[in-house]
Amino acid sequence: MKNTFGNSITLTLFGESHGPEIGAVIDGLCPGIAIDEKFMNHQLDLRRPYGKISTQRVEKDNFKIVSGVFKNKTTGAPLTVLIPNENIRSEDYTELRNIPRPSHADYTAFKKYNGFEDYRGGGHFSGRLTAPIVAASAILLTALKSKGIKIATHIKSCGDISDRDFEDPKADSDILNDLRFPVLDKQAETRMKEKIEKAAEEGDSVGGILETIVTGMPTGVGEPWFDSVESVIAKGIFAIPAVKGIEFGAGFSFSEMNGSKANDQIVLKNGEIQTETNNNGGINGGITNGMPIIFRTVIKPTPSIFKKQRSVDINKMTEEDLLLKGRHDPAIFHRARVVIDSVTALATADLLALKYGTDWFTEE
Amino acid sequence: MKNTFGNSITLTLFGESHGPEIGAVIDGLCPGIAIDEKFMNHQLDLRRPYGKISTQRVEKDNFKIVSGVFKNKTTGAPLTVLIPNENIRSEDYTELRNIPRPSHADYTAFKKYNGFEDYRGGGHFSGRLTAPIVAASAILLTALKSKGIKIATHIKSCGDISDRDFEDPKADSDILNDLRFPVLDKQAETRMKEKIEKAAEEGDSVGGILETIVTGMPTGVGEPWFDSVESVIAKGIFAIPAVKGIEFGAGFSFSEMNGSKANDQIVLKNGEIQTETNNNGGINGGITNGMPIIFRTVIKPTPSIFKKQRSVDINKMTEEDLLLKGRHDPAIFHRARVVIDSVTALATADLLALKYGTDWFTEE
Amino acid sequence: MKNTFGNSITLTLFGESHGPEIGAVIDGLCPGIAIDEKFMNHQLDLRRPYGKISTQRVEKDNFKIVSGVFKNKTTGAPLTVLIPNENIRSEDYTELRNIPRPSHADYTAFKKYNGFEDYRGGGHFSGRLTAPIVAASAILLTALKSKGIKIATHIKSCGDISDRDFEDPKADSDILNDLRFPVLDKQAETRMKEKIEKAAEEGDSVGGILETIVTGMPTGVGEPWFDSVESVIAKGIFAIPAVKGIEFGAGFSFSEMNGSKANDQIVLKNGEIQTETNNNGGINGGITNGMPIIFRTVIKPTPSIFKKQRSVDINKMTEEDLLLKGRHDPAIFHRARVVIDSVTALATADLLALKYGTDWFTEE
Amino acid sequence: MKNTFGNSITLTLFGESHGPEIGAVIDGLCPGIAIDEKFMNHQLDLRRPYGKISTQRVEKDNFKIVSGVFKNKTTGAPLTVLIPNENIRSEDYTELRNIPRPSHADYTAFKKYNGFEDYRGGGHFSGRLTAPIVAASAILLTALKSKGIKIATHIKSCGDISDRDFEDPKADSDILNDLRFPVLDKQAETRMKEKIEKAAEEGDSVGGILETIVTGMPTGVGEPWFDSVESVIAKGIFAIPAVKGIEFGAGFSFSEMNGSKANDQIVLKNGEIQTETNNNGGINGGITNGMPIIFRTVIKPTPSIFKKQRSVDINKMTEEDLLLKGRHDPAIFHRARVVIDSVTALATADLLALKYGTDWFTEE
């Protein structure tokens, strides 16, 4: 289904970086969810470039909703968000048409689409397309919140600089969702920004690790095997450009543990079944166990750098030096954060709708 | 779609650890693929317990194919593999019904299925169900191989013991696919086995990291966004019990790289476009770039250990000590390896069928 | 998805007429539905040949459930029904391998599967495969009934012989579901049977029209456009061999009506909104309106007849006369009836699950 | 999947009659298909009201393509067509909010969407939404034509007035695709128009039967069981408003045939395997047999009539008389014709893509 995600609640994505409009259709929404345009703008704002550490292209995201909303509430019919592309300078790209940029999708798009792809600015593969994902998913985040489910993400690490762990998941979530640079430890924030700015000065870029927490999920959600909570979240998260890895709970550090350390002991807390540790990240056998869902995502360094690189002219089949110009991000993980939250909202809402029906979100 | 994986080529999984039969239906297979029962048995053999380092339950996998094959070739109609469960001792489990085992799916299955789940031996969540996945996917592995596509996995690390990296991907793949304990460096193999045996003696278990390589994939396969090669592979891999993380190419180490180091420079080798490094694991923008696909999967330590653990009686709502008895694996990653290969075959075959049609696999 | 039907609740079908076993996997079932094997056998019995008017092949349908049931209730995991094929005489068919039977799927199967198809007795296309559909769907029929939803079908007409219309939908439904030859008017029944027997004596066959009624469906079920109630039911019904048409409510006779006659006037009956007539067959805009769903399905005459026919030897490419031997049905519509009911159960249950969640069926 | 149709090639539909824009996203298109805007406008023109026999609302369909096209060719990325709604007079409808129109979707939409639906002009259920289906599918019709596949529809009958049967399928198809009122027999055309005009004068409406022919389909396309050609086409066709029945080949008249008359004898014509008659409408066992696909669709009379009708005030729960005002069609089947062709193109292209891959459409 290519550009569509989900089963009960689906999002279909379309558009190109330099086309007239980009957008998303979200179907299966419960009728009666109030549209909070202010929150949608807040989310889009978190995705936008930010200060010195991001590209200077001013991307105004004046979204419009052209279907599925009536009297400011979802109708239940497909909801479509459109965002016009403005401030486009296509000439920045056309000269590079035959010389694919390293670690971008230029060459693979060329091969996939037999040379018919819109190559301007990454075309359909551009990170720009995450904007409609963010706008549309904001509606689901609102609906999830009304059922007590919160999603938040911080920058866990950038190189050797690490943020503190979650302490109070719900309180930390509230803090993070208001921050443009989502780091809980102020010292870590300062050092990360310095690292990014230094890379920018050198025409280079940096990668990082994001950590996401979902609190308030009912127990028993998810499916065995191919629609496990991990499967569904991972499928969505790997759709996000620059994501190259995901781990749940203790993740890769499980390889250094014995079972006796790794197993989450089952205990009673305030009369409720919980686990002492949360190495399994809130999921056993693919199903939620009532503990917070925790996962980490690695975002590779922005491939657009301003140092001399090597590539090949795909027409002449000759090796060529390549020096990029233009406006780009030395880091994108802080902006990717809201995209992670958005896709996580899509994934969790879809699994909830499968179990409880699409009407569940407005039930009282 | 819960227990079904794939779009053009689908696998539907069913059964329980202690039910009469487990099985899988694979649909969308090209007609005319020769059934290699010897290879199917070889693959099932790789999944079976092995020597001192695995459970002593003798799981005979006498599979039978009850549909979709005629005159020893696939017909194109759904192919169904059934494996009877033998040597079942249900009494091992019934006494534990109310006390979920830590880090197993016992508690989540109970919550998901409202207490109606078959709780014997993990029921539908049992690793036992990977057997029909392995048997059915062996047919795809054969078909892929006939098109020059090879899949292989080794144990990359177990604690601080690491296997060597892939050197000659195709030759290494052939070596690995004949090994029951898939490690390329004999010294590392010895040390890993010692580590596993030591854990076994202590009633404990260990986790590890598997690394998988896919060679020979055509360039331009995969879809943008939600059916990216990473999305499709990850969705399948996270269906496998005990998997808690996956990373492609440089994966989580991207967070410690600058773009100038991370970017794979594009070069000509023998007149073909390749990349100098393969940090992107053969995938850009979700699409294959012609380099080998490489990913790593972490397998958590087997949750069944023989040390005293803590749990809760879900009827009485009292905390209880728990001491497991029976036959179990101190490690499962060496057995999970062939399941990883199988799911990778499903994922890649599905993406290939989408692009080239289901008839492609027997074309000459 | 080829051999799979449904979204929230899915049925996957496999097997061949002369293979060892045929079966179906039904996924998405609510846990806790009691298995009524007696009713399953009753349904299979309705599908089986009946007296003089059907083939003499004794098809014993000794189904077994190999997954998804524990302590005689659904677990929520995929439920698999297997039915062994017995009493197979493959030699009846092999001599005809190169001469496709008119109006059967022999030639199209050959073309679709490039000559690799199991051609014995219709192979995967055989009406025999409706048996596992019937067995598996009986579980859904039980679940639907517990929510007040009843499905029933009668033979509306066979040639110029017509059964009476539904008078009391629920009472008529109960009567029909106990009849092997589902006709409400005894005189019509006698005449239809005479017609079938006469055709049988002549080595010929007859077609007929079935009419199905669904009572008790909640209002507001179904989706606009591509998952309209009509779309979903029709997709399922056309999967049944020999079905060549379906019409809802007034159906094709709408072409002879003016709007003023066709429109169902909206009225109050016992304080509830209903329509005076039911020309729309309980569906407006693809959504249930609270009136009974009514549709008619045409079943073509059994293509297996015992008169001389014309065909082509596909190897020699020569025209050939063809005279079939063996055991066959002069009519199948009376047996197709329970298949129609079964597929209707799948379709309605799937749409209900989408709206109310898969757990709805056992809620009180 | 509600508002999405197809598997390999999908169309997602959105919008409301009185919203700002309606549209469709078509995904899975082969890259490199030339966009023929003139043909797209021609198709939209066929859908638009026509002369005295249609509503006077001037619906200008100034579509724009906002994604998936570059240098006037499909890129392979999702293609989005948007059509702005103009000339909207919402006040025509708001006064009727509480009194659902008979045989419209007003009441069912209210129940499905719990009162949150956009009720203006039929909202999401409006026939207006067929415009983006027509525009988007025109691209597929072009692609199919380049592979020798033609689709055409005529008005087979309206009341007791019938058009002649197809004689030369390809030539007749070419004629029909240029006609605004698609009837092959000029006398029948005149009489049908008179009938429609007479109904219009009386404030009434009429229904009719459309007959569609698909020529040039390769043999062996389609899937057994749930994705039979009939299943896939019927699922799409029943999405079209006012369709209440579909029959393939001899359809409902099979109930009056014996098998000896119904069976299509297999013969050689010009060295190719064909059938003497085409009672099966080009399909056996759900798979194309090389003969033209033929099916008939019944379109109910437009429910908007200008005679006094009965309804219920859903707030007050009182019976009310209803007299509609405004601009409406006394018949829509002549306009529905191009929508039938469009959906048929979606269905056949999807089945072809499954077998041959999405790249097939531009191969030479």
Side-chain angles (χ1 to χ4, degrees):
Chain A
M1 278 291 299
K2 292 142 280 189
N3 296 281
T4 297
F5 182 71
N7 286 293
S8 296
I9 297 175
T10 57
L11 181 137
T12 298
L13 186 67
F14 57 85
E16 287 87 30
S17 176
H18 287 58
E21 293 182 278
I22 57 178
V25 184
I26 190 162
D27 196 7
L29 284 177
C30 184
I33 303 173
I35 299 298
D36 184 345
E37 293 211 359
K38 200 175 149 193
F39 179 62
M40 291 172 75
N41 276 311
H42 169 76
Q43 293 293 93
L44 284 169
D45 212 50
L46 294 182
R47 203 201 69 90
R48 257 199 292 275
Y50 161 58
K52 272 190 290 187
I53 61 175
S54 282
T55 163
Q56 301 305 306
R57 172 174 170 184
V58 183
E59 300 180 73
K60 265 209 166 175
D61 296 322
N62 292 314
F63 72 90
K64 48 183 176 169
I65 299 175
V66 298
S67 74
V69 170
F70 185 53
K71 296 182 176 172
N72 211 40
K73 289 197 173 152
T74 57
T75 62
L79 187 155
T80 305
V81 175
L82 291 178
I83 304 179
N85 282 322
E86 295 168 7
N87 194 23
I88 294 165
R89 290 186 291 173
S90 295
E91 62 276 23
D92 287 4
Y93 297 94
T94 41
E95 67 183 58
L96 300 175
R97 197 279 179 268
N98 298 322
I99 304 179
R101 294 167 295 170
S103 292
H104 272 280
D106 297 351
Y107 176 62
T108 54
F110 173 80
K111 294 296 283 186
K112 174 167 180 54
Y113 294 131
N114 305 327
F116 293 104
E117 81 280 6
D118 182 349
Y119 49 77
R120 297 169 299 164
H124 182 57
F125 292 87
S126 167
R128 174 104 185 98
L129 269 83
T130 57
I133 296 177
V134 167
S137 304
I139 298 161
L140 281 178
L141 280 164
T142 302
L144 288 166
K145 202 171 176 184
S146 75
K147 305 295 279 188
I149 300 164
K150 283 185 184 176
I151 298 171
T153 297
H154 68 137
I155 305 171
K156 187 70 193 76
S157 70
C158 169
D160 58 356
I161 313 162
S162 293
D163 194 18
R164 72 160 168 84
D165 289 332
F166 287 113
E167 285 162 10
D168 180 336
K170 297 209 176 193
D172 286 348
S173 295
D174 289 341
I175 293 167
L176 288 170
N177 286 332
D178 283 333
L179 295 179
R180 292 204 67 167
F181 195 88
V183 177
L184 292 162
D185 175 338
K186 288 297 152 195
Q187 275 196 306
E189 179 184 343
T190 306
R191 288 177 59 210
M192 285 183 195
K193 285 179 173 174
E194 285 167 1
K195 186 179 166 77
I196 296 169
E197 284 167 25
K198 182 162 169 293
E201 282 161 22
E202 294 168 355
D204 215 330
S205 63
V206 297
I209 295 172
L210 298 170
E211 186 175 57
T212 302
I213 192 162
V214 185
T215 51
M217 276 290 280
T219 308
V221 175
E223 299 294 328
W225 302 95
F226 305 108
D227 277 332
S228 73
V229 176
E230 290 113 328
S231 285
V232 172
I233 289 179
K235 182 174 196 283
I237 294 296
F238 274 117
I240 303 170
V243 169
K244 295 302 274 193
I246 188 169
E247 59 177 7
F248 290 81
F252 277 89
S253 67
F254 270 125
S255 77
E256 287 157 18
M257 289 183 189
N258 279 3
S260 55
K261 191 189 160 200
N263 284 4
D264 297 312
Q265 302 302 305
I266 302 171
V267 295
L268 286 175
K269 286 189 191 165
N270 307 319
E272 298 210 341
I273 293 172
Q274 299 197 8
T275 58
E276 209 163 44
T277 48
N278 189 14
N279 290 326
N280 283 283
I283 306 161
N284 290 116
I287 316 291
T288 56
N289 66 12
M291 299 296 291
I293 298 174
I294 295 190
F295 63 89
R296 277 171 301 285
T297 307
V298 62
I299 310 285
K300 73 177 183 182
T302 327
S304 292
I305 57 171
F306 301 94
K307 292 172 176 252
K308 193 167 75 177
Q309 296 190 88
R310 299 170 62 192
S311 186
V312 168
D313 185 309
I314 53 177
N315 279 351
K316 300 185 203 157
M317 287 300 273
T318 51
E319 297 199 335
E320 304 284 343
D321 282 345
L322 179 71
L323 195 56
L324 294 175
K325 287 172 283 185
R327 6 163 233 202
H328 294 280
D329 287 332
I332 47 165
F333 46 73
H334 57 294
R335 297 174 60 197
R337 169 271 296 252
V338 70
V339 187
I340 300 270
D341 288 348
S342 299
V343 170
T344 306
L346 285 167
T348 49
D350 191 31
L351 289 168
L352 287 161
L354 186 60
K355 186 173 177 68
Y356 299 117
T358 48
D359 281 5
W360 179 74
F361 291 92
T362 51
E363 276 170 21
E364 278 150 67
Chain B
M1 278 292 300
K2 293 142 280 189
N3 296 280
T4 298
F5 181 71
N7 286 293
S8 296
I9 298 176
T10 56
L11 182 138
T12 298
L13 186 67
F14 58 85
E16 286 89 30
S17 176
H18 288 57
E21 293 182 278
I22 57 177
V25 184
I26 190 162
D27 197 6
L29 283 178
C30 183
I33 303 172
I35 299 298
D36 183 346
E37 294 211 359
K38 200 176 148 192
F39 179 63
M40 291 172 75
N41 275 312
H42 169 77
Q43 294 293 93
L44 285 169
D45 211 52
L46 295 182
R47 202 200 70 88
R48 257 198 294 275
Y50 161 58
K52 271 189 291 186
I53 60 175
S54 281
T55 164
Q56 301 306 305
R57 172 174 171 185
V58 184
E59 298 180 75
K60 266 209 167 177
D61 296 323
N62 293 312
F63 73 89
K64 49 183 173 170
I65 299 175
V66 298
S67 73
V69 171
F70 185 53
K71 297 183 175 172
N72 211 40
K73 289 197 173 151
T74 57
T75 62
L79 187 155
T80 306
V81 175
L82 291 178
I83 303 178
N85 282 321
E86 295 169 7
N87 194 23
I88 295 164
R89 290 186 293 173
S90 295
E91 63 276 22
D92 287 4
Y93 297 95
T94 41
E95 68 183 56
L96 300 175
R97 196 280 177 272
N98 299 322
I99 305 178
R101 294 166 295 170
S103 293
H104 272 280
D106 298 351
Y107 176 61
T108 54
F110 173 80
K111 293 298 282 187
K112 172 166 182 55
Y113 295 129
N114 305 325
F116 293 104
E117 81 281 4
D118 181 348
Y119 48 77
R120 298 169 300 164
H124 183 56
F125 293 87
S126 168
R128 174 105 186 97
L129 270 82
T130 56
I133 296 178
V134 168
S137 303
I139 297 162
L140 282 178
L141 280 164
T142 302
L144 289 166
K145 203 172 174 183
S146 75
K147 305 295 279 186
I149 300 164
K150 283 185 185 177
I151 298 171
T153 297
H154 68 138
I155 306 171
K156 186 71 194 78
S157 70
C158 169
D160 57 357
I161 313 163
S162 294
D163 194 16
R164 72 161 168 84
D165 288 332
F166 287 113
E167 285 162 13
D168 179 335
K170 296 209 174 191
D172 286 349
S173 295
D174 289 339
I175 293 167
L176 288 170
N177 286 334
D178 283 332
L179 296 178
R180 293 203 68 165
F181 195 88
V183 177
L184 292 162
D185 174 339
K186 288 298 151 193
Q187 274 196 306
E189 179 182 345
T190 306
R191 290 176 60 208
M192 286 183 194
K193 286 179 173 172
E194 284 167 3
K195 186 179 166 79
I196 296 169
E197 284 167 26
K198 182 162 169 291
E201 281 161 25
E202 294 168 356
D204 214 330
S205 63
V206 296
I209 294 172
L210 298 170
E211 185 176 56
T212 302
I213 192 161
V214 184
T215 50
M217 277 288 280
T219 308
V221 175
E223 299 294 328
W225 302 95
F226 304 109
D227 278 331
S228 73
V229 175
E230 290 113 328
S231 286
V232 172
I233 289 178
K235 181 174 197 282
I237 295 294
F238 274 117
I240 303 170
V243 170
K244 296 301 273 191
I246 189 169
E247 58 177 6
F248 290 82
F252 278 89
S253 67
F254 270 125
S255 77
E256 286 157 19
M257 290 183 189
N258 279 4
S260 53
K261 191 189 159 199
N263 283 4
D264 296 313
Q265 302 302 305
I266 302 172
V267 295
L268 286 175
K269 285 189 192 166
N270 307 320
E272 299 209 341
I273 293 173
Q274 298 198 10
T275 59
E276 207 162 45
T277 48
N278 188 13
N279 289 326
N280 283 283
I283 306 161
N284 289 116
I287 316 289
T288 55
N289 65 13
M291 299 296 290
I293 298 174
I294 295 189
F295 63 89
R296 278 171 300 286
T297 307
V298 62
I299 310 287
K300 72 177 183 182
T302 326
S304 291
I305 57 171
F306 301 94
K307 292 171 176 256
K308 194 167 75 176
Q309 296 190 89
R310 298 170 62 193
S311 186
V312 167
D313 185 309
I314 54 177
N315 279 351
K316 302 184 201 154
M317 287 299 274
T318 50
E319 296 198 336
E320 304 285 344
D321 282 346
L322 179 71
L323 195 55
L324 295 175
K325 286 172 286 186
R327 2 159 234 202
H328 295 281
D329 287 331
I332 46 165
F333 45 75
H334 57 295
R335 296 175 60 197
R337 171 268 299 247
V338 69
V339 187
I340 301 269
D341 289 346
S342 299
V343 170
T344 306
L346 285 167
T348 49
D350 191 30
L351 289 168
L352 286 162
L354 186 60
K355 185 173 177 67
Y356 299 117
T358 49
D359 282 4
W360 178 74
F361 290 92
T362 51
E363 275 171 22
E364 279 149 66
Chain C
M1 278 291 300
K2 292 143 280 189
N3 296 281
T4 297
F5 182 70
N7 286 293
S8 296
I9 297 176
T10 57
L11 181 137
T12 298
L13 186 67
F14 57 86
E16 286 88 30
S17 176
H18 287 58
E21 293 183 277
I22 57 178
V25 184
I26 190 163
D27 196 8
L29 284 177
C30 183
I33 303 172
I35 299 298
D36 184 346
E37 294 211 357
K38 201 176 149 193
F39 179 64
M40 291 172 75
N41 275 311
H42 169 77
Q43 293 293 94
L44 284 169
D45 212 51
L46 295 181
R47 202 201 70 89
R48 258 198 293 276
Y50 160 57
K52 273 190 290 186
I53 61 173
S54 281
T55 163
Q56 301 305 306
R57 172 173 170 184
V58 183
E59 300 180 72
K60 267 208 164 176
D61 296 322
N62 292 313
F63 73 88
K64 48 182 175 169
I65 299 176
V66 298
S67 74
V69 171
F70 185 54
K71 297 182 175 173
N72 211 40
K73 289 196 173 152
T74 57
T75 61
L79 187 155
T80 305
V81 175
L82 291 178
I83 304 179
N85 282 322
E86 296 169 8
N87 194 22
I88 295 165
R89 290 185 292 172
S90 294
E91 62 277 22
D92 287 5
Y93 296 93
T94 41
E95 67 183 59
L96 300 175
R97 198 277 176 269
N98 298 322
I99 304 179
R101 293 167 296 171
S103 292
H104 272 280
D106 297 351
Y107 176 62
T108 53
F110 173 79
K111 294 297 283 185
K112 173 168 179 55
Y113 294 131
N114 305 327
F116 294 104
E117 81 280 6
D118 182 349
Y119 48 77
R120 298 169 299 164
H124 182 57
F125 293 87
S126 168
R128 175 105 186 97
L129 269 82
T130 57
I133 296 178
V134 167
S137 303
I139 298 161
L140 282 178
L141 280 164
T142 302
L144 288 166
K145 202 171 177 183
S146 76
K147 305 296 281 189
I149 300 164
K150 283 185 185 176
I151 298 170
T153 297
H154 68 137
I155 306 170
K156 186 71 193 77
S157 70
C158 168
D160 57 357
I161 314 160
S162 293
D163 194 18
R164 72 160 168 83
D165 288 332
F166 287 113
E167 285 162 11
D168 180 334
K170 297 209 175 192
D172 287 348
S173 295
D174 289 340
I175 293 167
L176 288 170
N177 286 333
D178 284 332
L179 295 179
R180 292 204 67 168
F181 195 88
V183 178
L184 293 162
D185 175 338
K186 289 296 152 193
Q187 274 197 305
E189 179 184 344
T190 307
R191 289 177 60 209
M192 286 183 194
K193 286 180 173 172
E194 285 167 1
K195 185 180 168 79
I196 296 169
E197 284 167 25
K198 183 162 170 292
E201 283 161 22
E202 295 168 355
D204 214 330
S205 63
V206 297
I209 294 172
L210 298 170
E211 185 175 59
T212 302
I213 192 162
V214 185
T215 51
M217 276 289 281
T219 307
V221 175
E223 299 294 327
W225 302 94
F226 305 108
D227 277 332
S228 72
V229 176
E230 290 114 328
S231 286
V232 172
I233 289 179
K235 181 174 198 283
I237 295 295
F238 275 117
I240 302 169
V243 170
K244 296 301 274 191
I246 188 169
E247 58 177 9
F248 290 82
F252 278 89
S253 67
F254 270 126
S255 76
E256 287 157 17
M257 290 183 187
N258 279 2
S260 54
K261 190 189 160 201
N263 283 3
D264 296 313
Q265 302 302 305
I266 301 171
V267 296
L268 285 174
K269 286 189 191 165
N270 307 320
E272 299 210 342
I273 293 173
Q274 297 198 10
T275 58
E276 208 163 44
T277 48
N278 188 15
N279 290 326
N280 283 283
I283 306 161
N284 289 117
I287 316 289
T288 55
N289 66 12
M291 298 297 290
I293 298 174
I294 295 190
F295 62 90
R296 277 172 301 285
T297 306
V298 62
I299 311 286
K300 73 177 183 183
T302 327
S304 292
I305 57 171
F306 301 93
K307 292 171 175 253
K308 194 167 75 177
Q309 296 190 88
R310 298 170 63 193
S311 186
V312 168
D313 184 308
I314 54 176
N315 279 350
K316 301 185 203 156
M317 287 300 273
T318 51
E319 297 199 335
E320 305 284 344
D321 282 345
L322 179 72
L323 195 56
L324 294 175
K325 287 172 284 185
R327 6 163 233 201
H328 295 281
D329 287 333
I332 46 165
F333 46 74
H334 56 294
R335 298 173 59 196
R337 170 269 298 251
V338 69
V339 187
I340 300 270
D341 288 347
S342 299
V343 170
T344 306
L346 285 167
T348 49
D350 191 31
L351 289 167
L352 287 161
L354 186 60
K355 185 174 176 68
Y356 299 117
T358 48
D359 281 5
W360 179 73
F361 291 91
T362 51
E363 276 170 20
E364 278 151 66
Chain D
M1 279 292 301
K2 293 142 279 190
N3 297 281
T4 297
F5 181 71
N7 286 293
S8 296
I9 298 175
T10 57
L11 181 138
T12 298
L13 186 67
F14 57 86
E16 286 88 31
S17 176
H18 287 57
E21 293 181 278
I22 57 178
V25 184
I26 190 162
D27 197 7
L29 284 177
C30 183
I33 304 172
I35 299 299
D36 183 346
E37 294 211 358
K38 201 175 149 192
F39 179 64
M40 293 172 74
N41 275 312
H42 169 77
Q43 294 293 95
L44 285 168
D45 211 51
L46 295 181
R47 203 201 69 90
R48 258 198 293 274
Y50 161 57
K52 272 189 291 186
I53 61 175
S54 281
T55 165
Q56 301 304 307
R57 172 174 171 183
V58 184
E59 299 181 72
K60 266 211 167 174
D61 295 323
N62 293 312
F63 73 88
K64 50 183 174 170
I65 299 175
V66 298
S67 73
V69 172
F70 185 53
K71 297 183 176 172
N72 211 41
K73 290 198 171 150
T74 58
T75 62
L79 186 156
T80 306
V81 175
L82 291 178
I83 303 179
N85 282 321
E86 295 168 8
N87 194 23
I88 295 164
R89 290 186 293 172
S90 294
E91 64 276 22
D92 287 4
Y93 297 93
T94 41
E95 68 183 56
L96 299 174
R97 197 279 177 270
N98 298 322
I99 305 178
R101 294 166 296 171
S103 292
H104 272 278
D106 297 352
Y107 176 61
T108 54
F110 173 80
K111 293 298 283 186
K112 173 166 181 55
Y113 295 129
N114 304 326
F116 293 104
E117 81 281 4
D118 181 349
Y119 48 76
R120 299 168 300 165
H124 182 57
F125 293 87
S126 168
R128 173 106 186 96
L129 269 82
T130 56
I133 296 178
V134 168
S137 302
I139 298 162
L140 282 177
L141 281 164
T142 303
L144 289 166
K145 203 172 175 183
S146 75
K147 306 294 280 187
I149 300 164
K150 283 185 185 177
I151 298 170
T153 297
H154 68 137
I155 305 171
K156 187 71 194 76
S157 70
C158 169
D160 57 358
I161 313 162
S162 292
D163 194 16
R164 72 160 167 86
D165 288 332
F166 286 113
E167 285 163 10
D168 180 335
K170 296 209 174 191
D172 286 349
S173 295
D174 289 339
I175 293 167
L176 288 170
N177 286 334
D178 283 332
L179 296 177
R180 293 204 67 166
F181 195 88
V183 177
L184 292 162
D185 174 339
K186 289 296 152 194
Q187 275 197 305
E189 179 183 344
T190 306
R191 291 176 59 209
M192 285 183 195
K193 286 180 173 172
E194 285 167 3
K195 186 180 167 79
I196 296 170
E197 284 167 25
K198 182 162 170 292
E201 281 161 24
E202 294 168 355
D204 215 331
S205 63
V206 296
I209 294 172
L210 297 171
E211 185 175 57
T212 302
I213 192 162
V214 184
T215 50
M217 276 289 280
T219 308
V221 175
E223 299 294 326
W225 301 95
F226 304 109
D227 277 331
S228 72
V229 176
E230 290 113 328
S231 286
V232 173
I233 289 178
K235 181 173 198 282
I237 295 294
F238 275 117
I240 303 170
V243 170
K244 295 302 273 192
I246 188 169
E247 59 177 8
F248 290 82
F252 278 90
S253 67
F254 270 125
S255 76
E256 287 158 18
M257 289 183 189
N258 279 3
S260 54
K261 191 189 160 200
N263 283 3
D264 296 313
Q265 302 302 304
I266 302 172
V267 295
L268 285 175
K269 284 188 193 168
N270 307 321
E272 298 209 341
I273 293 173
Q274 298 198 10
T275 59
E276 208 162 44
T277 48
N278 189 14
N279 289 327
N280 283 283
I283 306 161
N284 289 117
I287 316 290
T288 55
N289 66 11
M291 298 296 291
I293 298 173
I294 295 190
F295 62 89
R296 279 171 299 286
T297 306
V298 62
I299 309 287
K300 72 177 184 182
T302 327
S304 291
I305 56 171
F306 302 93
K307 292 172 175 254
K308 192 167 77 177
Q309 296 190 89
R310 298 169 62 192
S311 186
V312 168
D313 185 308
I314 53 177
N315 279 350
K316 301 185 201 155
M317 287 299 275
T318 51
E319 297 197 337
E320 304 284 345
D321 283 345
L322 179 71
L323 195 56
L324 294 176
K325 287 172 285 186
R327 1 157 237 203
H328 295 282
D329 287 332
I332 47 165
F333 45 74
H334 57 295
R335 296 175 59 197
R337 171 267 299 247
V338 69
V339 187
I340 300 270
D341 289 346
S342 299
V343 170
T344 305
L346 284 167
T348 49
D350 192 30
L351 289 168
L352 287 161
L354 187 59
K355 186 173 177 66
Y356 299 116
T358 49
D359 281 4
W360 179 73
F361 291 91
T362 51
E363 275 171 21
E364 278 151 64

